[in-house]
Amino acid sequence: MAYETFGHPDASLSNAVLVCHALTGDSHVAGEAGWWGGLVGPGRAIDTDRYFVVCPNVLGGCRGTTGPSSPAPDGQAWGSRFPRITVRDQVSVERAVADALGIQWWAAVIGGSMGGMRALEWAATSPSRVGGLFVLATTAAASADQIAWAQTQLAAIRADPAWRDGDYHGGSQPEVGLGIARRIAHLTYRSEAELAARFDRLAQPGEDPYTGGRFAVESYLDHQADKLVRRFDAGSYVTLTEAMNTHDVGRGRGDAKAALAAYRTSEARSVVVAIDSDRLYPPYQQVELADLLGTQLDLVSSLRGHDGFLLETEQVGRLVSGLLAG
């Protein structure tokens, strides 16, 4: 498994923080190009002068940890042979990383969206190793609505002739299907109010939608698709999306309340955060989570929908600081 660490290693055994990334994220959480650089670093909410921060790339991904594009023992990409995995499998691998680093206890496990799913699994499977839990824009179990949005994305990728049942590595990539999947996903990541405020019915500069050109919002979605296609593997997108679809912290444990009971009754603290404009993981799901964990719900105000968990670093940072200060 690939991972990055930030901060002074002498603090690793007593003051370590685990940060779990979302679907198309990676282990590069800090620094100028880090996906949460405004939150992780010297003097920031997750202060790398104080904490030893670990961010593993998720099992099934394509940014260093084994996934469908990784070579199998025969030297060929795993492709369609890569097994179906769950969020629990991903956390099992993260636990092995912690063991290898000599970290028996986390000061906090922090994650949003898919990362929040893994944070919840840590609390369910290893409650004695989690000193604090910070979950935002996530859910105890994937809903029918979330699975439905995901299914349309998976169908787009699999309909691309280049998909070849997942065995396309070394040849043409299913870029068209992955790009469509990203367009669908990105609409769920942002809010209707933001799209209206940013784009309204404006044409893309230099183009006329009435003669075959694009509206500005169409250009925006094209840009988001192009960015992802250049950096992400379609097989990993399918594998990770399917893992999110099967996420249910209560599966085989009675229910979600029973699964989190040991953590709830421990002395560890929990912070649950909702984004008020999130239409993919709507706030009612975080209300349920807060109740399961016996804590209050904190709300981040944002026009930017689900992506607010990544972008509203000032608001999120204050809440993270509150958890770590406690």
Side-chain angles (χ1 to χ4, degrees):
M1 171 173 256
Y3 59 90
E4 292 189 40
T5 61
F6 308 86
H8 201 288
D10 289 347
S12 61
L13 295 180
S14 60
N15 232 18
V17 171
L18 177 66
V19 178
C20 303
H21 69 75
L23 172 59
T24 61
D26 55 32
S27 59
H28 191 57
V29 65
E32 186 175 342
W35 56 267
W36 236 2
L39 207 68
V40 181
R44 301 193 183 280
I46 306 175
D47 189 350
T48 50
D49 288 335
R50 178 182 177 190
Y51 295 101
F52 182 73
V53 180
V54 181
C55 184
N57 181 241
V58 72
L59 175 67
C62 56
R63 310 294 287 179
T65 298
T66 302
S69 61
S70 304
D74 63 3
Q76 302 300 309
W78 279 103
S80 64
R81 298 175 294 169
F82 192 80
R84 279 182 172 259
I85 59 171
T86 66
V87 171
R88 295 184 190 183
D89 297 324
Q90 294 165 339
V91 170
S92 292
V93 175
E94 290 174 353
R95 234 181 347 260
V97 170
D99 292 344
L101 291 172
I103 300 171
Q104 295 304 311
W105 181 83
W106 298 105
V109 178
I110 298 172
S113 194
M114 185 183 81
M117 296 177 183
R118 304 208 308 283
L120 286 171
E121 276 295 327
W122 267 97
T125 58
S126 302
S128 64
R129 298 183 71 168
V130 180
L133 183 68
F134 188 96
V135 293
L136 67 162
T138 195
T139 181
S143 69
D145 187 63
Q146 289 151 1
I147 294 168
W149 279 112
Q151 192 275 342
T152 59
Q153 297 167 49
L154 298 178
I157 293 171
R158 289 170 171 147
D160 189 324
W163 170 245
R164 295 174 56 199
D165 293 325
D167 293 318
Y168 56 86
H169 299 93
S172 299
Q173 308 292 300
E175 296 180 353
V176 173
L178 180 59
I180 294 171
R182 182 60 167 184
R183 289 173 176 87
I184 295 168
H186 202 75
L187 287 175
T188 70
Y189 297 159
R190 313 303 280 234
S191 74
E192 187 276 337
E194 184 203 14
L195 296 178
R198 289 180 63 180
F199 304 110
D200 194 28
R201 289 183 48 78
L202 297 175
Q204 178 67 6
E207 299 186 31
D208 182 359
Y210 294 94
T211 59
R214 297 173 297 174
F215 286 99
V217 71
E218 294 178 290
S219 175
Y220 170 69
L221 292 176
D222 289 345
H223 174 65
Q224 296 300 325
D226 290 343
K227 283 200 306 181
L228 186 75
V229 164
R230 288 197 299 269
R231 70 176 180 86
F232 212 78
D233 174 59
S236 282
Y237 196 97
V238 168
T239 294
L240 299 182
T241 299
E242 289 180 334
M244 293 172 71
N245 281 353
T246 60
H247 165 64
D248 179 357
V249 75
R251 177 175 56 87
R253 297 166 175 160
D255 56 22
K257 184 175 182 179
L260 296 168
Y263 184 81
R264 175 175 176 160
T265 56
S266 71
E267 295 182 1
R269 295 185 63 214
S270 301
V271 173
V272 178
V273 184
I275 311 298
D276 62 2
S277 58
D278 192 342
R279 58 181 173 182
L280 180 57
Y281 291 85
Y284 81 85
Q285 294 182 329
Q286 291 86 59
V287 171
E288 293 173 352
L289 267 181
D291 181 63
L292 288 169
L293 291 166
T295 190
Q296 68 178 31
L297 176 71
D298 289 293
L299 195 64
V300 166
S301 179
S302 176
L303 276 180
R304 297 190 277 190
H306 183 64
D307 272 355
F309 89 90
L310 292 170
L311 302 173
E312 304 293 350
T313 53
E314 184 175 342
Q315 294 183 66
V316 174
R318 284 198 297 269
L319 297 171
V320 170
S321 295
L323 174 72
L324 295 176

